[in-house]
Amino acid sequence: MTPLNDADIGIALASLDGWGLDEDGKALRRQFDFDSFVQAFSFMTKVALLAEKADHHPEWSNVYNKVDIRLTTHDADGLTEKDIKLAQAIDAL
């Protein structure tokens, strides 16, 4: 996998809701806020199924009603189309 160039990353960010770049510019980040832990965990379960199907797994954390997701392609040492597609699928939830 080849990392996306800056222009492609800019286009992708414009199409994603609430996602931003990590400090190093090599990952997408977004925080999701829910009304309860159960809703947050339910969301994580749905994302886990998407990630498994895509064979592309997020870095994430959960504290009560908040889920932080970081997407990057380690093999490419940066953002790839796999990250964009997974972010779009997560947004569609």
Side-chain angles (χ1 to χ4, degrees):
M1 283 244 127
T2 305
L4 298 173
N5 62 39
D6 290 343
D8 289 336
I9 291 171
I11 291 168
L13 281 172
S15 73
L16 295 170
D17 184 31
W19 293 86
L21 283 180
D22 210 355
E23 301 82 33
D24 62 6
K26 294 183 179 185
L28 293 173
R29 280 193 173 270
R30 182 171 175 194
Q31 183 177 79
F32 294 85
D33 297 318
F34 299 93
D35 291 334
S36 69
F37 173 75
V38 171
Q39 288 177 345
F41 195 86
S42 174
F43 170 75
M44 291 178 73
T45 301
K46 292 173 188 173
V47 172
L49 294 172
L50 288 174
E52 189 65 19
K53 185 175 180 180
D55 193 28
H56 191 58
H57 304 92
E59 297 174 15
W60 58 4
S61 65
N62 163 244
V63 177
Y64 181 58
N65 68 329
K66 296 182 185 335
V67 177
D68 290 301
I69 299 179
R70 183 177 185 269
L71 300 175
T72 190
T73 303
H74 295 283
D75 292 342
D77 192 34
L79 286 170
T80 67
E81 192 62 35
K82 288 178 90 170
D83 302 301
I84 304 308
K85 287 181 180 179
L86 186 53
Q88 291 169 337
I90 292 168
D91 282 348
L93 291 176

